[in-house]
Amino acid sequence: MTRKVTKAIFPVAGMGTRFLPATKAVPKEILTLVDRPLIQYAIDEARAAGITEFIFVTSRGKSALEDYFDVAPELETSLADRGKEELLATLKSTNMESGAIAYIRQHRALGLGHAVWCARRLVGDEPFAVILPDDVIDAETPCLRQMVDAYEETGGNMVAAMEVPDEATSAYGILDAEPNGRCVSVRGMVEKPKAGTAPSNLAVIGRYILDPAVMRHLDSIKSGSGGEIQLTDAIAREIGGGNVHGYCFEGTRFDCGSKGGFLRATVAFGLARPELREELASFLRETVANGNA
Ligand code: UTP
């Protein structure tokens, strides 16, 4: 029987240079899609998958993230006094239970693998999820929920995968696996392959369910490496014996770590809001009709 996944790591210690100057003062994960910061989408997805312990790997300048999950008593009282019940409920839905959330510092940005490794003591000897909040996935069943359900059958390690066009493979970790239904067995993984050399079109994106053995691999990679520590290298050590699976999720992924992806997500999530849909759609239609798009 596979063990239940109750812990998730949110690596948020990156520098977010693609969003400078905004990220000079505001963490990338606080940037807002319509009216909710990216991190809220990630937390909601984790909760829907049964996660009860939330581990943030942060860095200097990210205190807005810690404040975001705190109770805001003055704001709550003021909304209650003014009878703003709906807003109050929205605000309260962002509060986290005391003890459910932990913050660990990554003192130097040594890569995603290193950020995950920083949480090793909090994870202990349990399987854990990793969520990159800048990958926002719009899906009927939230992506991590889909993966947890599939993981109950497979165990081992699971990475979220999606098909990308040939010309995009060099920007991702690519799986060596036969595209065959939603859950594929992985034979190999290549980080950012050179054009024309990718073993498939299945790209790894920011959702993982990992065995604690991956932490031990990160340990040994860390001691032998001077530079960036890649998470994919540690997962690749688990391949063999059918121990790594790619899960081709149902849904649309937006790369909110890039400006283009963030703008697309803003349009898609805006159009999905009944109160904004008409105004936004007619603006987009006019813009296109006027030849500005
Ligand atoms: P990115 O590659 O998007 O880097 O990291 P970044 O620093 O966030 O953004 P740019 O490229 O400078 O604009 C992918 C994820 O890994 C985390 C980031 O916070 C993001 O969630 N990360 C990356 C860390 O936590 N630590 C690192 O050392 C590197």
Side-chain angles (χ1 to χ4, degrees), residues 213-265:
V214 169
M215 287 293 189
R216 295 193 285 278
H217 300 317
L218 285 171
D219 243 337
S220 72
I221 294 172
K222 187 183 165 286
S223 48
S225 148
E228 271 222 352
I229 296 162
Q230 304 286 357
L231 183 59
T232 33
D233 291 346
I235 300 171
R237 293 194 182 186
E238 284 285 282
I239 296 174
N243 222 9
V244 179
H245 305 273
Y247 188 81
C248 304
F249 58 94
E250 173 278 318
T252 307
R253 171 258 189 179
F254 295 95
D255 174 12
C256 291
S258 77
K259 284 176 234 188
F262 200 101
L263 288 171
R264 282 173 198 225

Side-chain angles (χ1 to χ4, degrees), residues 11-19 28-29 57 106 108-112 115 132-134 257:
V12 291
M15 289 186 273
T17 52
R18 283 171 287 172
F19 280 94
K28 177 170 69 173
E29 300 74 21
V57 182
Q106 184 189 27
R108 284 198 296 153
L110 290 177
L112 177 59
L132 304 190
D134 43 12

Side-chain angles (χ1 to χ4, degrees), residues 4-27:
K4 217 168 151 3
V5 185
T6 60
K7 296 181 177 176
I9 301 176
F10 301 83
V12 291
M15 289 186 273
T17 52
R18 283 171 287 172
F19 280 94
L20 280 170
T23 45
K24 195 174 154 198
V26 181

Side-chain angles (χ1 to χ4, degrees), residues 117-182:
W117 175 83
C118 289
R120 66 202 177 281
R121 293 204 177 86
L122 292 173
V123 163
D125 194 30
E126 285 180 43
F128 59 97
V130 176
I131 297 188
L132 304 190
D134 43 12
D135 274 334
V136 176
I137 300 166
D138 183 24
E140 216 168 285
T141 304
C143 179
L144 192 65
R145 174 82 257 168
Q146 297 176 40
M147 291 172 69
V148 164
D149 290 345
Y151 169 83
E152 277 172 15
E153 303 291 318
T154 62
N157 298 271
M158 186 171 278
V159 299
M162 70 175 214
E163 275 198 54
V164 297
D166 287 344
E167 61 277 13
T169 50
S170 58
Y172 293 90
I174 299 291
L175 297 180
D176 179 2
E178 263 330 298
N180 165 33
R182 290 236 173 264

